[in-house]
Amino acid sequence: MTTPYDAWSTPERAALRDSVTRFVRSEVVDNLPRWEDDGEIPRDLHKRAAAAGLLGIGFPEDVGGEGGDVLDISVVTEAMIEAGGSSGLIAALYTHGIALPHIVSAHRANPTEQSASLIERYVRPTLAGETIGSLGVTEPGGGSDVANLRTRAVRDGDAYVVDGAKTFITSGVRADFVTTAVRTGGDGYGGISLLVVDKGTPGFTVANPLRKMGWHCSDTAELSYAEARVPVQNLVGEENGGFVLVMQQFVNERLSLAVQAYATAQRSLDLTVAYARERETFGRPLATRQVIRHKLVEMHRATVTARAYTRQVVERAAALSAGATGVDPMRLAADAAIAKNDAVAACDFVVDEAVQVHGGMGYMRETEVERHYRDSRILGIGGGATEVMNDLIAKILGY
Amino acid sequence: MNIVVCVKYVPDATADRSFDSSDSTVDREGVDGLLSELDEYAVEQALLAAEDGDGEVTVLTVGPADAADAVRKALQMGADKGVHVEDDDIAGSDAVATSLILAKALGTLEYDLVFFGMSSTDGTMGVVPTMVAERLGLPAVTYGSEITVDGSTVTVRRDGDVATETITATAPAVVSVTDQSGEPRYPSFKGIMAAKKKPVEDLTLSDLGIDASEVGLGAAWTKVLSFAPRPPRSAGEIVTDEGDGGTKLAEFLASKKFV
């Protein structure tokens, strides 16, 4: 049997999907409940994923990556979740997807001795699964409002002296370094820079892990910077050029969250269909009831339409990265935000119905959809809240 | 050390497999095919054995056009090149004819060792490795669960039901490996992309000097006389415990000669 050709099911991407599925089934599925209880995934998993060639996908080979584009990363994300992983696993294992791209794009735009050193010290070892990186943007005083962040870095000789605080930092507890957004200049977006801060830097402390509703296998930290001296060599790109670097990556981060949302919906649908066929009530399988079949169809519809739209935007993002001229970056930013909101709405609906069809079992920790129900709630908050997305979309569309 | 791994393209064992009613051969239309999972173990052992030296791993298959998928999978895992023997006259070949084609194809290749999986996941006969060795006049060490290659010798551990044997053979030799030999790797993204550029040589029967009358359904030594789907599982017998449940269970087991 042959599958009709599309960019998402080429022989290479089918093989990639198969490899990820095998990795998840052999390395993840049986261990994930324990990692959820532990509050983090083991470092060893990063090494295993790197050895299987799955950690560096989407990063160029000349910085230690595996190559591939945003479609390939999306295939990995889909397969990770649909084979029995979770969005929390993606958050923990692929934190480098938000911690490293700025370092790479700054280096490729303007390669210097300093940028090359950052690639060697942070990008390569992280893509090899040897170190773990985080991205520090959000502050206690504000989440999505990046232009007004307050953590300050003042130049003093060969170092920046950093004062401030960050919160909700994914993998911050385990991180060996944090790509930190700081204010080096005046107010607003023009005064922001990115600094790589090492764990163990005097004055830089990581508070206890934050306890969350979901994403239990993904550790989350509060970070404090009190006169922490960070070498100027750890500046990413230009001083006061951080906002553009952060904003460029937001499109990819939002698309990744959209993919996580529809993949979580697909996984929850698959589990629910299987359960509805198995589970008998009043002498008949649930799936023989019209009301249940209609629910399954509505879940299916929400999932496939969200996937179709998001994938179309991902394809345009890949085309833009590859140098295509027909893609308007502002329109793409709006469409990525629409994709995120649409896939999140689909996911919210599907995981809710999935728990409902599972009945009492859906409320039990041992049931996988219970985890997806909790895990998915963050998808409409992180990477730009739904309301902030709508503001952005309205601004770009001129409404 | 150059190693050729002989692999088979088989119907997916997790799907509903059947025979074609017109000629009683495997129905390849109704089901997806893939590299026989037991052959993945042979590919893995070949890659491990070749890793330390400068030899090449060649993957060889005999099968229809879609069998190219099995070759590609082995190339994605890390094999260096592929050979695919494809010819309409091969259809319906039995193990004897398959071993003839493989032996002739091996005659066109340079090799020190020939690796096989322990059997295919569809025919599950496990006779082809020995047949090929016989045709080539090579030693055959089958069902290896641990393979060690050192210089021009290969040492194979065979785990039997009551004893374990360790056998050493000198290259050239034929080795078949079991699913206890070590988990096969899965293709990395780089491996998947690299496989697109690896060479695959397509051969026909005439390339190998084989006459069509020597192979195919007509030349087969065996014939499928009839086939039928496995009957659906009948409902089990429920024993109601009315104080005598233990006795009833014992009687049931005794009637089936379990006790």
Side-chain angles (χ1 to χ4, degrees):
Chain A
M1 281 187 289
T2 51
T3 312
Y5 174 81
D6 74 81
W8 297 81
S9 45
T10 59
E12 290 71 35
R13 291 194 172 115
L16 176 60
R17 197 179 293 280
D18 191 42
S19 282
V20 175
T21 299
R22 288 174 71 162
F23 177 81
V24 171
R25 288 187 182 154
S26 64
E27 303 281 350
V28 173
V29 170
D30 290 344
N31 297 316
L32 192 49
R34 189 175 78 248
W35 299 336
E36 289 273 306
D37 289 342
D38 292 348
E40 61 181 43
I41 59 171
R43 276 180 172 263
D44 187 46
L45 187 68
H46 293 252
K47 283 191 186 140
R48 287 168 182 271
L54 298 177
L55 211 55
I57 295 175
F59 287 87
E61 292 187 44
D62 60 12
V63 301
E66 297 279 329
D69 64 12
V70 64
L71 263 79
D72 299 304
I73 311 169
S74 301
V75 166
V76 172
T77 305
E78 287 179 6
M80 279 266 168
I81 294 172
E82 289 169 17
S86 65
S87 59
L89 173 78
I90 299 283
L93 186 59
Y94 285 87
T95 319
H96 60 272
I98 56 174
L100 299 181
H102 322 86
I103 303 175
V104 175
S105 67
H107 174 66
R108 288 171 84 80
N110 181 23
T112 62
E113 206 172 298
Q114 182 167 333
S115 71
S117 159
L118 292 174
I119 298 288
E120 294 304 316
R121 287 188 289 142
Y122 299 107
V123 177
R124 281 185 192 280
T126 304
L127 294 180
E130 291 158 7
T131 55
I132 294 170
S134 276
L135 175 68
V137 176
T138 299
E139 301 186 343
S144 301
D145 187 8
V146 180
N148 289 309
L149 61 85
R150 292 187 197 153
T151 297
R152 180 159 285 283
V154 179
R155 180 79 184 257
D156 177 33
D158 58 2
Y160 287 98
V161 180
V162 183
D163 281 286
K166 298 286 177 185
T167 193
F168 307 151
I169 304 308
T170 299
S171 296
V173 178
R174 297 179 305 142
D176 300 296
F177 64 91
V178 181
T179 306
T180 309
V182 295
R183 185 165 299 287
T184 43
D187 291 344
Y189 62 82
I192 293 167
S193 302
L194 288 174
L195 284 178
V196 184
V197 182
D198 288 311
K199 179 182 250 176
T201 300
F204 171 54
T205 49
V206 179
N208 290 329
L210 296 169
R211 299 177 66 210
K212 307 184 295 296
M213 174 192 287
W215 276 15
H216 287 174
C217 70
S218 163
D219 58 288
T220 310
E222 273 188 307
L223 312 177
S224 160
Y225 305 79
E227 295 185 25
R229 288 183 69 86
V230 179
V232 291
Q233 286 82 9
N234 282 17
L235 175 69
V236 181
E238 302 282 320
E239 190 176 276
N240 297 330
F243 188 76
V244 176
L245 291 173
V246 171
M247 285 299 150
Q248 276 171 353
Q249 294 311 321
F250 270 155
V251 169
N252 284 339
E253 186 184 355
R254 285 164 190 162
L255 286 174
S256 168
L257 289 163
V259 174
Q260 290 174 47
Y262 73 67
T264 300
Q266 182 66 56
R267 174 67 179 174
S268 302
L269 171 63
D270 292 343
L271 292 166
T272 305
V273 169
Y275 185 79
R277 285 179 178 152
E278 182 87 0
R279 165 75 172 156
E280 290 197 6
T281 58
F282 306 102
R284 272 164 49 191
L286 271 183
T288 63
R289 312 278 175 193
Q290 188 181 46
V291 67
I292 299 296
R293 291 207 306 274
H294 281 199
K295 270 186 196 291
L296 297 176
V297 169
E298 290 293 304
M299 293 161 74
H300 179 93
R301 177 188 54 75
T303 304
V304 297
T305 52
R307 174 164 54 221
Y309 183 72
T310 301
R311 279 182 168 187
Q312 191 233 57
V313 181
V314 169
E315 285 173 28
R316 282 194 292 128
L320 181 67
S321 296
T325 49
V327 184
D328 172 11
M330 284 312 286
R331 186 60 195 245
L332 181 69
D335 292 346
I338 293 169
K340 180 173 186 285
N341 282 2
D342 183 60
V344 164
C347 183
D348 284 348
F349 167 73
V350 171
V351 295
D352 189 70
E353 289 287 63
V355 170
Q356 190 69 23
V357 173
H358 276 75
M361 279 313 293
Y363 200 62
M364 296 296 116
R365 274 290 156 93
E366 67 188 84
T367 306
E368 191 181 321
V369 294
E370 184 267 351
R371 186 173 71 225
H372 293 308
Y373 180 87
R374 287 182 290 103
D375 279 358
S376 62
R377 190 63 188 85
I378 189 62
L379 300 176
I381 299 171
T386 301
E387 294 74 13
V388 175
M389 294 299 93
N390 279 339
D391 254 3
L392 175 76
I393 298 161
K395 217 179 283 177
I396 294 173
L397 297 183
Y399 293 164
Chain B
M1 179 69 72
N2 290 314
I3 303 174
V4 176
V5 190
C6 299
V7 302
K8 187 174 183 185
Y9 178 75
V10 298
D12 187 343
T14 61
D16 283 334
R17 295 174 293 176
S18 184
F19 288 94
D20 187 329
S21 56
S22 66
D23 61 1
S24 298
T25 60
V26 173
D27 177 9
R28 293 183 181 271
E29 292 301 316
V31 57
D32 283 333
L34 40 71
L35 169 62
S36 171
E37 279 154 332
L38 288 169
D39 291 344
E40 288 186 21
Y41 292 90
V43 175
E44 176 65 29
Q45 289 306 312
L47 293 174
L48 289 174
E51 251 166 24
D52 300 332
D54 49 6
E56 279 192 324
V57 174
T58 304
V59 56
L60 166 64
T61 198
V62 176
D66 287 348
D69 285 357
V71 175
R72 187 191 299 120
K73 176 72 180 286
L75 296 178
Q76 290 171 342
M77 290 173 72
D80 299 288
K81 55 192 172 73
V83 177
H84 180 186
V85 186
E86 183 199 348
D87 201 305
D88 289 346
D89 291 326
I90 295 173
S93 290
D94 62 358
V96 178
T98 302
S99 70
L100 171 69
I101 303 167
L102 287 171
K104 291 278 190 183
L106 283 161
T108 70
L109 301 169
E110 280 183 29
Y111 59 86
D112 301 291
L113 293 173
V114 181
F115 278 23
F116 285 85
M118 60 193 278
S119 75
S120 60
T121 56
D122 56 349
T124 61
M125 291 167 69
V127 296
V128 171
T130 325
M131 287 179 171
V132 168
E134 179 68 20
R135 287 182 185 279
L136 296 172
L138 299 180
V141 190
T142 53
Y143 298 101
S145 48
E146 189 178 280
I147 319 295
T148 314
V149 177
D150 185 12
S152 62
T153 61
V154 56
T155 305
V156 178
R157 199 187 78 218
R158 306 174 88 231
D159 293 331
D161 286 342
V162 292
T164 292
E165 336 174 292
T166 301
I167 294 176
T168 299
T170 306
V174 171
V175 176
S176 81
V177 309
T178 72
D179 56 357
Q180 301 303 306
S181 56
E183 275 303 302
R185 68 195 66 189
Y186 26 84
S188 70
F189 185 66
K190 272 184 191 166
I192 290 166
M193 300 312 284
K196 291 172 78 173
K197 293 174 191 148
K198 290 177 177 173
V200 177
E201 185 182 6
D202 292 309
L203 297 175
T204 62
L205 288 178
S206 65
D207 292 334
L208 298 175
I210 300 173
D211 190 86
S213 65
E214 298 175 82
V215 299
L217 198 56
W221 292 20
T222 55
K223 189 174 180 185
V224 176
L225 298 177
S226 67
F227 61 89
R230 189 199 316 222
R233 205 177 289 179
S234 56
E237 187 180 331
I238 295 173
V239 175
T240 311
D241 185 10
E242 290 162 342
D244 57 351
T247 311
K248 283 180 176 170
L249 275 178
E251 282 169 0
F252 174 79
L253 291 171
S255 75
K256 301 287 179 192
K257 299 196 178 356
F258 281 116
V259 291

